[in-house]
Amino acid sequence: MTPSSGTGLGTGAGAGMHSIALASQLQQVAGALQDILGGRSGSAVLDDVPAPLRPGVQALLFQVLRKLGWAQAIRRQLAPRTPRPPVDALLCTALALLADAEHLPYEPFTLVNQTIEAAKQSSAVRAQAPFINACLRRFLRERAPLQQAIANDLQAQWNHPRWWVQRLQKDHPQHWQQILEANNLQAPMVLRINKQKGTSAQYQKALAAIDIEASLVGESGLVLRRGVPVQALPGFAEGMVSVQDAAAQLAAPLLLSGLELGQDPHQPLRVLDACAAPGGKTAHLLEWMGPEAAVQVTALDIDPLRCARIDDTLQRLGLQRPEQVQVLAADAGRPQDWWPQRCGGQLFDAILLDAPCTASGIVRRHPDVRWLRRETDIAQLAQTQARLLATLWPLLRPGGRLLYCTCSVFLAEGEQQVKAFLAHHTDAGLLPSPGHLWPGKSGKPGTVPDNLSGEHDGFFYALLQKTAP
């Protein structure tokens, strides 16, 4: 999604969209929901929505995705036989938007009437408009008994797949409820200030001057009271600031603190960002070290199009310095294809492995993730993570550090992964690390700076050091 999408456009669904018929928005939302349930990502489906409709459709879609488990359970009470996908998607869209009786985006009868209008406008749904109308009006009449009938439905209660809830209950028996509660909230917009161009305190004052409230978080971050388009941020185009969650902002200082930051131009610090796109952490590494540091950062991504996003990020921030960074379209799991030729076969001083994962820690920002994932994905991704760890470890010099991280709250992608790695690599030691961070305002106490514990996504960090032979 675009940088502003992570700001949570899930409030005020109709704000600024009154000139566009609600029926047209509902039709687009239902189509997007059907595609997501068919396996497409929210980013991809929103890219297909006409630009004038996109802000309102995204806001409504996010609201629907956060109430989808409840809506599907209610629909099963109203219609035990599952309707055809386009009909089911529109019916569940309306039910999800009716879920929170105290904070409805529209009056119930307006929403029902516009849903029927959306059905009539769709050739795939038109014949079932009377059926949708009957279901929704029955729901308005019998809301209380229908809700009572699904009171013990785990998926309806938590709006996550049943297997997801059960996995969290097993992984985090003391905290699974607060993780799920946080996942169903809208994430705030968080900024990282480019320390080469200013401080977070200075930027906070610049925001206050244009009536944007923000609070300090972490070493270089600000949490905005309300999200704004990135174009509204002072100095965004000039590279003063980036959008990055507070937990993700821990990567660069965790990896680099305590290392000799490239003081000798004849022996530059060699850093690998192994899964770098879209470039936020690569940029933070370079910002942290500064323009005068003798450093060679290699940023990899397997997708050439995503590598172009890394280049765009570095260019906007004024960090595209050939003497400091090279961006390679290459597979981190096949170093034989790039390490000897492009890196001279030299060992790295530091490696950042932000490994592919379920993204179970960033559901607040991407509510489609919970409905896209399958339980089998965890084991498959854990295998990929283990392979990358084992493949990249030989590229690290003795005494060097590898920071393994995932935006996941599942133990198989974090704590268990690192335990298995340490058991098979006697030359690896675990340095003080945050471990698993829970999403939202619960923050795992004692593992992160005090002023970070108030707000961040779910993450896992393990800092590993290679011992001398």
Side-chain angles (χ1 to χ4, degrees):
M1 297 186 184
T2 61
S4 60
S5 69
T7 67
L9 296 177
T11 58
M17 302 299 294
H18 296 300
S19 61
I20 299 173
L22 176 57
S24 297
Q25 293 184 62
L26 293 173
Q27 194 174 0
Q28 291 285 341
V29 171
L33 176 61
Q34 183 182 345
D35 284 351
I36 289 170
L37 294 177
R40 291 187 72 202
S41 75
S43 300
V45 299
L46 285 168
D47 284 344
D48 292 343
V49 175
L53 286 171
R54 195 172 301 146
V57 169
Q58 178 171 313
L60 289 171
L61 177 62
F62 278 20
Q63 191 168 341
V64 168
L65 291 168
R66 291 184 177 118
K67 293 292 186 180
L68 184 58
W70 181 92
Q72 289 175 328
I74 290 290
R75 196 273 300 152
R76 286 192 292 271
Q77 294 294 314
L78 296 168
R81 291 183 59 185
T82 304
R84 291 184 301 106
V87 177
D88 195 31
L90 183 57
L91 179 53
C92 286
T93 290
L95 289 169
L97 295 175
L98 289 165
D100 189 348
E102 295 182 0
H103 301 93
L104 292 175
Y106 300 95
E107 289 296 321
F109 287 101
T110 298
L111 190 54
V112 171
N113 290 337
Q114 288 296 295
T115 300
I116 305 312
E117 185 61 31
K120 293 176 180 178
Q121 292 176 8
S122 170
S123 59
V125 183
R126 186 178 301 125
Q128 294 298 311
F131 163 75
I132 294 175
N133 184 44
C135 287
L136 293 178
R137 295 192 184 279
R138 180 188 165 196
F139 169 75
L140 294 182
R141 293 193 308 269
E142 303 177 20
R143 181 182 187 116
L146 287 168
Q147 290 192 142
Q148 185 61 35
I150 65 169
N152 296 321
D153 187 316
L154 204 61
Q155 184 164 310
Q157 181 181 1
W158 294 104
N159 286 293
H160 285 68
R162 189 171 289 101
W163 68 263
W164 189 305
V165 178
Q166 293 170 341
R167 187 84 179 212
L168 286 180
Q169 289 174 329
K170 179 181 177 182
D171 282 1
H172 304 286
Q174 303 300 318
H175 306 284
W176 65 273
Q177 291 173 308
Q178 62 192 101
I179 292 173
L180 291 170
E181 287 170 354
N183 283 354
N184 286 325
L185 298 176
Q186 176 185 316
M189 186 173 187
V190 185
L191 309 179
R192 185 190 77 241
I193 312 308
N194 186 343
K195 64 185 297 184
Q196 296 182 20
K197 298 190 176 185
T199 68
S200 50
Q202 290 169 340
Y203 199 80
Q204 185 182 33
K205 292 180 180 178
L207 291 175
I210 56 173
D211 296 324
I212 298 177
E213 293 184 47
S215 56
L216 300 173
V217 63
E219 297 187 21
S220 304
L222 288 170
V223 179
L224 301 192
R225 185 178 181 87
R226 57 177 177 83
V228 299
V230 293
Q231 295 79 8
L233 296 171
F236 180 82
E238 293 74 30
M240 291 184 64
V241 63
S242 298
V243 178
Q244 187 182 47
D245 179 72
Q249 293 184 35
L250 286 174
L254 273 171
L255 181 61
L256 298 176
S257 293
L259 288 176
E260 294 295 331
L261 295 184
Q263 302 300 318
D264 184 353
H266 301 293
Q267 285 191 317
L269 191 74
R270 291 181 294 276
V271 181
L272 172 66
D273 188 352
C275 303
K281 294 184 179 69
T282 304
H284 197 193
L285 290 168
L286 292 164
E287 291 172 9
W288 183 268
M289 289 181 284
E292 306 303 323
V295 60
Q296 294 175 349
V297 176
T298 299
L300 293 182
D301 198 89
I302 196 170
D303 185 346
L305 292 178
R306 286 169 60 83
C307 283
R309 293 186 63 190
I310 301 174
D311 285 322
D312 291 343
T313 297
L314 298 179
Q315 184 172 357
R316 181 182 65 83
L317 295 168
L319 299 169
Q320 205 171 34
R321 296 185 283 264
E323 71 279 6
Q324 282 195 325
V325 60
Q326 64 171 339
V327 178
L328 302 180
D331 184 351
R334 291 183 53 83
Q336 65 270 26
D337 295 341
W338 51 269
W339 182 54
Q341 301 90 347
R342 301 301 299 271
C343 301
Q346 293 182 299
L347 297 177
F348 294 101
D349 300 287
I351 297 176
L352 172 59
L353 175 54
D354 185 1
C357 71
T358 58
S360 57
I362 57 172
V363 175
R364 301 184 309 162
R365 301 183 187 281
H366 300 282
D368 57 315
V369 166
R370 71 189 90 180
W371 307 115
L372 289 170
R373 287 296 177 206
R374 301 294 178 263
E375 189 170 13
T376 53
D377 292 343
I378 300 175
Q380 293 172 358
L381 286 161
Q383 289 180 350
T384 299
Q385 295 152 11
R387 178 175 60 85
L388 287 171
L389 271 168
T391 301
L392 295 175
W393 188 248
L395 306 188
L396 186 67
R397 69 163 174 83
R401 297 175 175 181
L402 184 150
L403 181 64
Y404 170 76
C405 59
T406 62
C407 52
S408 174
V409 294
F410 295 136
L411 295 187
E413 300 182 283
E415 182 180 301
Q416 293 172 358
Q417 185 72 256
V418 171
K419 283 183 177 179
F421 178 81
L422 291 171
H424 291 91
H425 293 80
T426 57
D427 60 344
L430 180 63
L431 297 176
S433 306
H436 279 283
L437 303 175
W438 309 316
K441 297 185 180 298
S442 56
K444 199 169 183 179
T447 58
V448 295
D450 288 342
N451 68 336
L452 178 62
S453 61
E455 184 59 75
H456 52 73
D457 286 342
F459 243 79
F460 175 83
Y461 281 109
L463 184 60
L464 304 167
Q465 185 166 39
K466 180 177 282 190
T467 58

